[in-house]
Short mmCIF file of all heavy atoms in Angstrom, two decimals:
data_model
loop_
_atom_site.label_atom_id
_atom_site.label_comp_id
_atom_site.label_asym_id
_atom_site.label_seq_id
_atom_site.Cartn_x
_atom_site.Cartn_y
_atom_site.Cartn_z
N VAL A 534 -10.11 10.03 -19.60
CA VAL A 534 -10.35 11.03 -20.63
C VAL A 534 -9.00 11.39 -21.26
O VAL A 534 -8.04 11.65 -20.52
CB VAL A 534 -10.96 12.30 -20.01
CG1 VAL A 534 -11.22 13.34 -21.09
CG2 VAL A 534 -12.23 11.98 -19.25
N TRP A 535 -8.94 11.37 -22.58
CA TRP A 535 -7.69 11.61 -23.28
C TRP A 535 -7.84 12.83 -24.18
O TRP A 535 -8.55 12.79 -25.19
CB TRP A 535 -7.27 10.38 -24.08
CG TRP A 535 -7.08 9.19 -23.18
CD1 TRP A 535 -8.06 8.42 -22.62
CD2 TRP A 535 -5.84 8.68 -22.69
NE1 TRP A 535 -7.50 7.46 -21.80
CE2 TRP A 535 -6.14 7.59 -21.83
CE3 TRP A 535 -4.49 9.03 -22.88
CZ2 TRP A 535 -5.15 6.85 -21.18
CZ3 TRP A 535 -3.51 8.28 -22.24
CH2 TRP A 535 -3.84 7.21 -21.40
N THR A 536 -7.22 13.94 -23.82
CA THR A 536 -7.29 15.17 -24.61
C THR A 536 -6.20 16.12 -24.13
O THR A 536 -5.73 16.01 -22.99
CB THR A 536 -8.67 15.86 -24.47
OG1 THR A 536 -8.63 17.13 -25.12
CG2 THR A 536 -9.06 16.09 -23.02
N ARG A 537 -5.83 17.09 -25.00
CA ARG A 537 -4.88 18.12 -24.55
C ARG A 537 -5.61 19.39 -24.11
O ARG A 537 -4.99 20.34 -23.65
CB ARG A 537 -3.93 18.49 -25.70
CG ARG A 537 -2.92 17.40 -26.04
CD ARG A 537 -2.00 17.93 -27.12
NE ARG A 537 -0.85 17.10 -27.34
CZ ARG A 537 -0.67 16.33 -28.40
NH1 ARG A 537 -1.61 16.26 -29.34
NH2 ARG A 537 0.43 15.64 -28.55
N ASP A 538 -6.95 19.39 -24.25
CA ASP A 538 -7.76 20.56 -23.90
C ASP A 538 -8.11 20.47 -22.41
O ASP A 538 -8.94 19.64 -22.00
CB ASP A 538 -9.02 20.54 -24.78
CG ASP A 538 -9.98 21.68 -24.46
OD1 ASP A 538 -9.92 22.21 -23.33
OD2 ASP A 538 -10.79 22.01 -25.35
N ILE A 539 -7.50 21.32 -21.61
CA ILE A 539 -7.61 21.18 -20.16
C ILE A 539 -9.05 21.33 -19.66
O ILE A 539 -9.53 20.56 -18.83
CB ILE A 539 -6.64 22.16 -19.44
CG1 ILE A 539 -6.67 21.96 -17.92
CG2 ILE A 539 -6.93 23.62 -19.75
CD1 ILE A 539 -5.90 20.79 -17.45
N SER A 540 -9.77 22.30 -20.22
CA SER A 540 -11.15 22.50 -19.75
C SER A 540 -12.02 21.30 -20.10
O SER A 540 -12.83 20.84 -19.29
CB SER A 540 -11.76 23.76 -20.39
OG SER A 540 -10.99 24.87 -20.05
N ARG A 541 -11.83 20.82 -21.32
CA ARG A 541 -12.63 19.67 -21.74
C ARG A 541 -12.31 18.45 -20.87
O ARG A 541 -13.20 17.70 -20.45
CB ARG A 541 -12.32 19.38 -23.20
CG ARG A 541 -13.31 18.48 -23.84
CD ARG A 541 -12.99 18.32 -25.30
NE ARG A 541 -14.06 17.63 -25.98
CZ ARG A 541 -13.92 17.03 -27.15
NH1 ARG A 541 -12.76 17.08 -27.80
NH2 ARG A 541 -14.93 16.41 -27.70
N ALA A 542 -11.03 18.26 -20.58
CA ALA A 542 -10.61 17.12 -19.76
C ALA A 542 -11.27 17.19 -18.39
O ALA A 542 -11.86 16.21 -17.92
CB ALA A 542 -9.09 17.13 -19.60
N LEU A 543 -11.21 18.35 -17.77
CA LEU A 543 -11.74 18.47 -16.40
C LEU A 543 -13.26 18.44 -16.39
O LEU A 543 -13.88 17.94 -15.44
CB LEU A 543 -11.19 19.73 -15.73
CG LEU A 543 -9.66 19.81 -15.64
CD1 LEU A 543 -9.22 20.99 -14.79
CD2 LEU A 543 -9.05 18.52 -15.09
N ARG A 544 -13.87 18.99 -17.46
CA ARG A 544 -15.33 18.96 -17.55
C ARG A 544 -15.81 17.52 -17.68
O ARG A 544 -16.70 17.07 -16.95
CB ARG A 544 -15.77 19.80 -18.76
CG ARG A 544 -17.25 20.08 -18.83
CD ARG A 544 -17.55 21.11 -19.91
NE ARG A 544 -17.17 20.69 -21.25
CZ ARG A 544 -16.25 21.30 -22.03
NH1 ARG A 544 -15.63 22.38 -21.60
NH2 ARG A 544 -15.97 20.84 -23.23
N LEU A 545 -15.20 16.77 -18.60
CA LEU A 545 -15.61 15.38 -18.78
C LEU A 545 -15.31 14.57 -17.51
O LEU A 545 -16.14 13.77 -17.06
CB LEU A 545 -14.91 14.77 -19.99
CG LEU A 545 -15.42 15.27 -21.34
CD1 LEU A 545 -14.50 14.82 -22.48
CD2 LEU A 545 -16.84 14.78 -21.61
N ALA A 546 -14.13 14.80 -16.91
CA ALA A 546 -13.76 14.04 -15.70
C ALA A 546 -14.79 14.28 -14.59
O ALA A 546 -15.15 13.37 -13.84
CB ALA A 546 -12.37 14.44 -15.22
N LYS A 547 -15.27 15.52 -14.52
CA LYS A 547 -16.26 15.85 -13.49
C LYS A 547 -17.57 15.10 -13.69
O LYS A 547 -18.24 14.73 -12.73
CB LYS A 547 -16.51 17.36 -13.51
CG LYS A 547 -17.49 17.86 -12.47
CD LYS A 547 -17.57 19.37 -12.50
CE LYS A 547 -18.69 19.85 -11.57
NZ LYS A 547 -18.88 21.29 -11.70
N HIS A 548 -17.93 14.88 -14.94
CA HIS A 548 -19.27 14.33 -15.23
C HIS A 548 -19.30 12.83 -15.49
O HIS A 548 -20.38 12.26 -15.65
CB HIS A 548 -19.91 15.10 -16.38
CG HIS A 548 -20.19 16.54 -16.02
ND1 HIS A 548 -21.13 16.89 -15.08
CD2 HIS A 548 -19.61 17.69 -16.42
CE1 HIS A 548 -21.15 18.21 -14.94
NE2 HIS A 548 -20.23 18.72 -15.74
N VAL A 549 -18.13 12.18 -15.55
CA VAL A 549 -18.15 10.72 -15.66
C VAL A 549 -18.55 10.17 -14.30
O VAL A 549 -17.94 10.52 -13.28
CB VAL A 549 -16.76 10.17 -16.08
CG1 VAL A 549 -16.74 8.65 -15.98
CG2 VAL A 549 -16.43 10.61 -17.50
N ASP A 550 -19.59 9.35 -14.27
CA ASP A 550 -20.12 8.85 -12.99
C ASP A 550 -19.35 7.60 -12.56
O ASP A 550 -19.76 6.47 -12.83
CB ASP A 550 -21.62 8.55 -13.15
CG ASP A 550 -22.28 8.23 -11.80
OD1 ASP A 550 -21.57 8.21 -10.78
OD2 ASP A 550 -23.50 8.00 -11.80
N SER A 551 -18.20 7.81 -11.91
CA SER A 551 -17.41 6.67 -11.45
C SER A 551 -16.57 7.08 -10.25
O SER A 551 -16.43 8.27 -9.95
CB SER A 551 -16.50 6.16 -12.58
OG SER A 551 -15.55 7.14 -12.90
N GLY A 552 -16.01 6.09 -9.58
CA GLY A 552 -15.24 6.35 -8.37
C GLY A 552 -13.89 7.00 -8.63
O GLY A 552 -13.35 7.68 -7.78
N GLN A 553 -13.32 6.77 -9.78
CA GLN A 553 -12.08 7.45 -10.16
C GLN A 553 -11.98 7.61 -11.67
O GLN A 553 -12.46 6.77 -12.42
CB GLN A 553 -10.83 6.76 -9.63
CG GLN A 553 -10.73 5.29 -9.95
CD GLN A 553 -11.59 4.50 -9.02
OE1 GLN A 553 -11.52 4.70 -7.82
NE2 GLN A 553 -12.42 3.60 -9.54
#
Side-chain angles (χ1 to χ4, degrees):
V534 180
W535 300 77
T536 173
R537 289 184 168 107
D538 177 337
I539 184 78
S540 300
R541 195 176 190 199
L543 301 188
R544 191 170 62 242
L545 288 169
K547 181 175 173 186
H548 295 293
V549 171
D550 189 358
S551 65
Q553 52 281 311

